[in-house]
Amino acid sequence: MRTRLDRPIVVGLDGSPDSARALRYAAQEAQRAGCGLWLVNAIHEIVPVAPMWPLLTSDTLVDVGHELLDDAQLVVEDLSHATVPVEVETALGPAVQILTTASEKARLVVLGHRSAGIVERLFTGSTTFGVIARSACPVVSVPHEWDQNREEHRIVAAIDGSSVSSAVLAYAFAAASERSARLEVVHCWRLDPFYSYLVDEWSVEQEWDAQTHGMIRGFIDEWSGRYPAVPVESRLEYAPIADTLVRYSKDADLLVMGRHGHGGLGLRVAMAAPGSVTRTVLQHTHCPLEVIPVLTPADSTDDLVAATSHARTPAEADAPEN
């Protein structure tokens, strides 16, 4: 896959209302970041059809994809008043593989995500979750509740105290600066109920609280100096992680989380397992969820600043405009 655009935002489109919502979100972000959009329609070469349906050839599906992308391009032109450059691509193959490949040249991948019932949840969201688990750049999942006309000027960053916390805060501070928003940094943890009968849980909570404040403050201080205009508060809660993050996503413009590892068994959070923290938050978040990939050992702080999905540097972002 090729693009002439410099670090565009990739949008996965399939003609559904969910992808249309992702397109609108991505158009807003492209205007904010001053970058282009790369609209991608992935067509799986094996298409399940009911016995009474006509047999669809790959050529027919490609033609449909071209029409879909043409319509999407017109939507972007209308939303951005033709200020956002757009490239389109229809590709044959699994959507996860195609979008993951595109992510290697992108600053952000944006996908729509639908809510699902308990049974549906086991079978839906596979594309979004698969791309999140493998993407080389951040991935945003836009939920059904997102309203393009409403801004709360509030960004939430969820950090766990590991090395990926710095990457999460880099993106969260940049996003808050771009949106003139306040930043809430959330760290939550709770002892697994399976072990609670073995220890004094109150003592565990007190020890966790005493050890955690300084660590979280250190991560925040690393980035708050680069973004002095961003108001920031820390929230520490001894509470179930997924439920707490979903609660904080209410009335937020964006929830930023980290992804450990690079797909497969390397993930610290078992992303392939239904019921994991990431999957639960993905299914229930009230605001767009941005998942940041892990840093490699070679990544420096300056590399991290340059890699953020927001176009301006910290100095430029906080400088007064003439």
Side-chain angles (χ1 to χ4, degrees), residues 164-187:
V164 79
S165 299
S166 184
V168 170
L169 289 178
Y171 282 89
F173 267 102
S177 178
E178 287 287 338
R179 298 165 186 254
S180 299
R182 73 184 190 276
L183 176 62
E184 292 184 18
V185 180
V186 179
H187 176 74

Short mmCIF file of all heavy atoms in Angstrom, two decimals, residues 164-187:
data_model
loop_
_atom_site.label_atom_id
_atom_site.label_comp_id
_atom_site.label_asym_id
_atom_site.label_seq_id
_atom_site.Cartn_x
_atom_site.Cartn_y
_atom_site.Cartn_z
N VAL A 164 5.00 2.33 29.29
CA VAL A 164 4.11 2.86 28.26
C VAL A 164 3.34 4.08 28.75
O VAL A 164 2.78 4.85 27.95
CB VAL A 164 3.14 1.77 27.75
CG1 VAL A 164 2.00 1.57 28.72
CG2 VAL A 164 2.60 2.11 26.36
N SER A 165 3.33 4.32 30.06
CA SER A 165 2.62 5.47 30.62
C SER A 165 3.14 6.79 30.05
O SER A 165 2.38 7.73 29.83
CB SER A 165 2.74 5.49 32.14
OG SER A 165 2.18 4.33 32.71
N SER A 166 4.45 6.87 29.80
CA SER A 166 5.02 8.10 29.25
C SER A 166 4.48 8.36 27.86
O SER A 166 4.17 9.51 27.50
CB SER A 166 6.56 8.00 29.21
OG SER A 166 7.13 9.22 28.78
N ALA A 167 4.35 7.30 27.04
CA ALA A 167 3.80 7.46 25.69
C ALA A 167 2.35 7.91 25.75
O ALA A 167 1.93 8.78 24.98
CB ALA A 167 3.92 6.15 24.92
N VAL A 168 1.58 7.34 26.66
CA VAL A 168 0.17 7.72 26.80
C VAL A 168 0.07 9.20 27.15
O VAL A 168 -0.73 9.95 26.56
CB VAL A 168 -0.52 6.87 27.88
CG1 VAL A 168 -1.90 7.41 28.21
CG2 VAL A 168 -0.63 5.42 27.40
N LEU A 169 0.89 9.66 28.09
CA LEU A 169 0.83 11.06 28.50
C LEU A 169 1.32 12.00 27.40
O LEU A 169 0.83 13.12 27.28
CB LEU A 169 1.63 11.27 29.78
CG LEU A 169 1.00 10.66 31.03
CD1 LEU A 169 1.90 10.89 32.25
CD2 LEU A 169 -0.38 11.23 31.29
N ALA A 170 2.28 11.57 26.60
CA ALA A 170 2.73 12.40 25.49
C ALA A 170 1.58 12.70 24.55
O ALA A 170 1.37 13.85 24.14
CB ALA A 170 3.86 11.69 24.73
N TYR A 171 0.83 11.68 24.19
CA TYR A 171 -0.30 11.87 23.29
C TYR A 171 -1.44 12.63 23.97
O TYR A 171 -2.09 13.47 23.37
CB TYR A 171 -0.80 10.52 22.78
CG TYR A 171 0.06 9.94 21.68
CD1 TYR A 171 1.14 9.13 21.99
CD2 TYR A 171 -0.21 10.22 20.35
CE1 TYR A 171 1.95 8.61 20.99
CE2 TYR A 171 0.59 9.70 19.35
CZ TYR A 171 1.67 8.90 19.67
OH TYR A 171 2.45 8.39 18.68
N ALA A 172 -1.67 12.34 25.24
CA ALA A 172 -2.77 12.99 25.95
C ALA A 172 -2.51 14.48 26.15
O ALA A 172 -3.41 15.31 25.96
CB ALA A 172 -2.99 12.30 27.29
N PHE A 173 -1.28 14.84 26.53
CA PHE A 173 -0.96 16.25 26.68
C PHE A 173 -1.06 16.97 25.34
O PHE A 173 -1.55 18.11 25.26
CB PHE A 173 0.45 16.42 27.25
CG PHE A 173 0.49 16.53 28.76
CD1 PHE A 173 0.85 15.44 29.54
CD2 PHE A 173 0.19 17.73 29.38
CE1 PHE A 173 0.90 15.54 30.93
CE2 PHE A 173 0.23 17.85 30.77
CZ PHE A 173 0.57 16.74 31.55
N ALA A 174 -0.58 16.34 24.27
CA ALA A 174 -0.67 16.96 22.94
C ALA A 174 -2.13 17.18 22.54
O ALA A 174 -2.50 18.23 22.01
CB ALA A 174 0.04 16.10 21.90
N ALA A 175 -2.97 16.17 22.80
CA ALA A 175 -4.39 16.28 22.46
C ALA A 175 -5.05 17.39 23.27
O ALA A 175 -5.85 18.18 22.74
CB ALA A 175 -5.10 14.95 22.70
N ALA A 176 -4.74 17.46 24.56
CA ALA A 176 -5.32 18.50 25.41
C ALA A 176 -4.88 19.88 24.96
O ALA A 176 -5.67 20.83 24.95
CB ALA A 176 -4.94 18.26 26.86
N SER A 177 -3.62 20.01 24.57
CA SER A 177 -3.11 21.29 24.10
C SER A 177 -3.81 21.72 22.82
O SER A 177 -4.22 22.87 22.67
CB SER A 177 -1.59 21.20 23.86
OG SER A 177 -1.09 22.40 23.35
N GLU A 178 -3.97 20.79 21.87
CA GLU A 178 -4.63 21.10 20.60
C GLU A 178 -6.09 21.52 20.80
O GLU A 178 -6.61 22.36 20.07
CB GLU A 178 -4.58 19.88 19.68
CG GLU A 178 -3.21 19.58 19.09
CD GLU A 178 -2.83 20.58 18.01
OE1 GLU A 178 -3.73 21.22 17.46
OE2 GLU A 178 -1.63 20.72 17.74
N ARG A 179 -6.74 20.94 21.79
CA ARG A 179 -8.17 21.17 22.00
C ARG A 179 -8.45 22.22 23.07
O ARG A 179 -9.61 22.46 23.40
CB ARG A 179 -8.84 19.85 22.41
CG ARG A 179 -8.76 18.76 21.36
CD ARG A 179 -9.11 17.41 21.98
NE ARG A 179 -8.92 16.29 21.07
CZ ARG A 179 -9.89 15.62 20.48
NH1 ARG A 179 -11.15 15.95 20.73
NH2 ARG A 179 -9.63 14.62 19.67
N SER A 180 -7.39 22.82 23.63
CA SER A 180 -7.56 23.76 24.75
C SER A 180 -8.39 23.11 25.85
O SER A 180 -9.34 23.70 26.38
CB SER A 180 -8.22 25.06 24.27
OG SER A 180 -7.41 25.69 23.30
N ALA A 181 -8.02 21.89 26.18
CA ALA A 181 -8.77 21.10 27.15
C ALA A 181 -7.96 20.86 28.42
O ALA A 181 -6.73 20.98 28.43
CB ALA A 181 -9.16 19.75 26.53
N ARG A 182 -8.66 20.51 29.48
CA ARG A 182 -7.97 20.08 30.69
C ARG A 182 -7.71 18.58 30.60
O ARG A 182 -8.42 17.86 29.90
CB ARG A 182 -8.79 20.42 31.93
CG ARG A 182 -10.02 19.57 32.16
CD ARG A 182 -10.80 20.07 33.37
NE ARG A 182 -11.85 19.16 33.78
CZ ARG A 182 -13.06 19.14 33.25
NH1 ARG A 182 -13.37 19.97 32.28
NH2 ARG A 182 -13.97 18.28 33.70
N LEU A 183 -6.70 18.13 31.32
CA LEU A 183 -6.31 16.73 31.27
C LEU A 183 -6.49 16.09 32.64
O LEU A 183 -6.03 16.64 33.65
CB LEU A 183 -4.84 16.61 30.84
CG LEU A 183 -4.23 15.20 30.83
CD1 LEU A 183 -4.98 14.29 29.85
CD2 LEU A 183 -2.75 15.26 30.49
N GLU A 184 -7.17 14.95 32.68
CA GLU A 184 -7.29 14.16 33.90
C GLU A 184 -6.50 12.87 33.70
O GLU A 184 -6.79 12.10 32.79
CB GLU A 184 -8.76 13.85 34.20
CG GLU A 184 -9.58 15.06 34.58
CD GLU A 184 -11.01 14.70 34.97
OE1 GLU A 184 -11.27 13.52 35.25
OE2 GLU A 184 -11.87 15.60 34.95
N VAL A 185 -5.52 12.65 34.56
CA VAL A 185 -4.70 11.45 34.51
C VAL A 185 -5.22 10.46 35.54
O VAL A 185 -5.24 10.75 36.75
CB VAL A 185 -3.22 11.77 34.78
CG1 VAL A 185 -2.38 10.50 34.72
CG2 VAL A 185 -2.71 12.80 33.77
N VAL A 186 -5.68 9.31 35.08
CA VAL A 186 -6.34 8.33 35.94
C VAL A 186 -5.45 7.11 36.10
O VAL A 186 -4.96 6.53 35.12
CB VAL A 186 -7.70 7.90 35.34
CG1 VAL A 186 -8.36 6.86 36.23
CG2 VAL A 186 -8.61 9.12 35.17
N HIS A 187 -5.25 6.72 37.35
CA HIS A 187 -4.58 5.46 37.66
C HIS A 187 -5.47 4.71 38.65
O HIS A 187 -5.81 5.24 39.71
CB HIS A 187 -3.20 5.69 38.27
CG HIS A 187 -2.53 4.41 38.69
ND1 HIS A 187 -1.97 3.53 37.79
CD2 HIS A 187 -2.33 3.87 39.92
CE1 HIS A 187 -1.46 2.50 38.44
NE2 HIS A 187 -1.67 2.69 39.75
#
